[in-house]
Amino acid sequence: ADTATKFMPSQIDLPSLKTAADCCKACDLHQFASQMVFGEGPPDAKIVLVGEQPGDHEDIEGKPFVGPAGVLLNQALVRAGIRRDEVYVTNVVKHFKFTERGKRRLHKKPDSREIFACRPWLEAELAAIKPQTVVCLGATPAQALFGRDFRITKSRGVMRATDWCERTIATWHPAAILRMPDETRRGQMLLNLVEDLAAANA
Ligand code: URA
Ligand code: SF4
């Protein structure tokens, strides 16, 4: 199967990676999205936050976590005492996947082929940055880094080593918090997210 490795530049610095990823055709998603959305943040960030995939807003703006999930993430970062501009924010999959429903573009989960194809970009970002801590936002990044058996409901908030970072932790995806209908539960999940971000920063 095709992977992004085919499109890797010889220089593994973030600007070179981003330029190369703009030309990636390792899976079909590049055909439908507006643009590739690479990670954003300082090259010496101590913390890397990893989401699933750009959404509608991210696809239009070309930056990760700028839509509703990003607004909630920013609030959680403030409460955890972390500045957004000091962390590097990225996704496992770099192109938006969606189905059209009238005028709306509804997010579709990336499948294992797309995750496998795109993962070399994330691995290269982590190799370039060498962060102290990686925070997986939701099941897709958690399973990409911890393995397919990882369950966010069981192992959220546990700091462990992975092949990519000595300190890797998984927490709720902000979009999962926004979707939670039960207000009490939603509040608990937001508190968990803030605690896990604070643990990443400790
Ligand atoms: N959800 C994600 O997983 N990533 C984004 O960049 C935005 C929403
Ligand atoms: Fe390449 Fe990832 Fe885009 Fe697929 S989603 S074309 S692997 S950058």
Side-chain angles (χ1 to χ4, degrees):
D2 263 3
T3 80
T5 305
K6 228 168 85 179
F7 299 88
M8 274 301 145
S10 44
Q11 293 251 74
I12 300 295
D13 57 83
L14 293 172
S16 303
L17 288 169
K18 182 175 179 172
T19 302
D22 271 327
C23 303
C24 183
K25 294 175 169 55
C27 79
D28 291 340
L29 297 182
H30 71 94
Q31 296 178 35
F32 312 106
S34 314
Q35 57 187 318
M36 190 281 302
V37 180
F38 210 63
E40 188 184 56
D44 58 351
K46 291 189 170 65
I47 300 175
V48 171
L49 307 180
V50 188
E52 178 180 86
Q53 189 174 32
D56 184 59
H57 292 80
E58 290 77 19
D59 176 70
I60 291 161
E61 291 194 36
K63 291 166 183 289
F65 282 99
V66 291
V71 171
L72 187 64
L73 177 63
N74 290 348
Q75 290 169 1
L77 284 167
V78 168
R79 285 174 60 180
I82 302 168
R83 294 208 328 263
R84 165 101 184 216
D85 66 3
E86 68 185 342
V87 298
Y88 186 88
V89 182
T90 191
N91 287 296
V92 179
V93 173
K94 305 307 199 227
H95 277 102
F96 179 39
K97 183 181 183 181
F98 58 93
T99 45
E100 277 169 308
R101 200 64 62 72
K103 279 187 189 161
R104 304 214 311 141
R105 302 190 300 170
L106 300 183
H107 161 273
K108 262 180 93 178
K109 251 188 168 330
D111 62 32
S112 54
R113 215 166 12 96
E114 293 149 354
I115 292 166
F116 182 76
C118 208
R119 208 171 65 162
W121 295 122
L122 173 63
E123 293 176 337
E125 287 172 295
L126 295 176
I129 298 167
K130 298 187 183 68
Q132 284 175 11
T133 311
V134 173
V135 181
C136 300
L137 301 171
T140 300
Q143 291 181 350
L145 298 188
F146 286 114
R148 295 299 302 276
D149 294 337
F150 188 89
R151 291 293 168 266
I152 201 103
T153 44
K154 228 182 76 187
S155 303
R156 179 205 59 80
V158 182
M159 190 76 77
R160 283 200 304 175
T162 59
D163 290 349
W164 297 274
C165 187
E166 209 50 48
R167 286 163 42 93
T168 308
I169 188 170
T171 189
W172 303 121
H173 193 295
I177 301 177
L178 290 173
R179 279 196 306 269
M180 173 54 62
D182 184 90
E183 200 181 322
T184 307
R185 182 73 190 120
R186 192 162 66 241
Q188 284 169 350
M189 289 169 80
L190 182 55
L191 201 59
N192 290 155
L193 173 61
V194 172
E195 285 168 356
D196 295 340
L197 289 169
N201 197 36

